[in-house]
Amino acid sequence: MVAAHRDSVPVGRRRTLVEMSIVVLTGAGISAESGVPTFRDADGLWEGHRVEDVATPEAYAAQPAVVHRFYDDRRAALAGVEPNPAHRALARLEERLGDDLLVVTQNIDDLHERAGSTRVLHMHGELLSALCRACEGRVRWTGRLGEFPACPSCGISALRPDVVWFGEVPYEMDRIAAALEAADLFVSIGTSGAVYPAAGFVQHARAHGAATLELNLQPSEVSRLFDETRHGLAGELVPAWVAELLADG
Ligand code: BJW
């Protein structure tokens, strides 16, 4: 059962911009036009494997060198990609909204930050961070992990990618839940809606009175739950949506 929205004017125009609190969820689709492969589109990231089969702690335990090479190559590729107009539009929106905009990203790249966004939560972790399985410390990591380097804190060779695999608990869930509950508008950009808990955020936000908008190349698995959906390239849809908001506000 979906709760009634706080008022009945169209998505994104319910209040003046300065009064709105917005949560944006982003997925792989927002980085696709930067040249970062998505997971579930053709030519997806795992080279013919289902991500659900390989992005697991069990796959890492069985074949650590293979998993390290996969993340090491993606980390190295980050140096060759740039934020696109969708990332930059969200950074422009933050300049206007400040603390009233929160970007929750499932992506482990750093393109939101490089575009200028500062209020970003990486719920599935970050490529440029390593997590020590021995001391549980985190360290910024730009090199390779596949050579099994020692942890700078404890000296044990137990560093893994600081990412969230299936069966692990996503990061920052308390802050995300609080933001969804306070949001006037929830916007989902470039995600297939195939992975929970992120796919459930639209229902969480709606249940607490937010209007909801999906911007994606094609209908996602949860499109029907949104008040409004727009289909097309993030690099076009997001700047257009942000321009609408800024013009209204
Ligand atoms: C464009 C575009 C362009 C393309 N412009 N658009 C409830 C029901 C059923 C199952 C579960 C459930 N709750 C939990 C589960 C289990 C599981 C799960 O969801 N399983 C599914 C198979 C059903 N979830 C988990 O295990 C999660 N943990 C968990 O639930 O813990 C319990 C808990 C939760 C909360 C509180 C307390 C306890 C963990 C999930 C971890 C996911 N990890 C990965 C790998 C991260 C590291 C890495 O990057 O390698 O995260 S898997 C992968 O999928 C990655 C992504 O972040 C995630 C989502 O993918 P995304 O971003 O949506 O990409 P795509 O490729 O799927 O879609 C791209 C979209 O963009 C497409 O729609 C395109 O059309 C579009 N697009 N170009 C605009 N230019």
Side-chain angles (χ1 to χ4, degrees), residues 130-152:
L131 174 64
C132 180
R133 288 172 295 122
C135 72
E136 299 184 358
R138 289 194 161 78
V139 58
R140 181 174 162 81
W141 202 268
T142 55
R144 300 186 75 83
L145 290 171
E147 286 128 30
F148 300 96
C151 168

Side-chain angles (χ1 to χ4, degrees), residues 24 26 29-34 83-93 111-112 115 117 189 215 233-242:
V24 172
T26 64
I30 197 169
S31 295
E33 289 156 77
S34 293
N84 68 53
H87 299 104
R88 287 196 286 271
L90 293 179
R92 278 199 299 284
L93 189 56
L111 294 178
H112 284 302
S117 290
I189 302 172
L215 307 176
L233 294 169
E236 295 171 2
L237 292 180
V238 180
W241 168 67
V242 168

Side-chain angles (χ1 to χ4, degrees), residues 28 33 39-40 71 74 106 124 164 167-168 191-192 196 216 234:
E33 289 156 77
F39 292 91
R40 294 172 184 81
Y71 285 96
R74 285 171 69 189
Q106 298 168 87
H124 291 165
V164 178
E168 298 180 326
T191 176
S192 59
Y196 289 81
N216 203 47

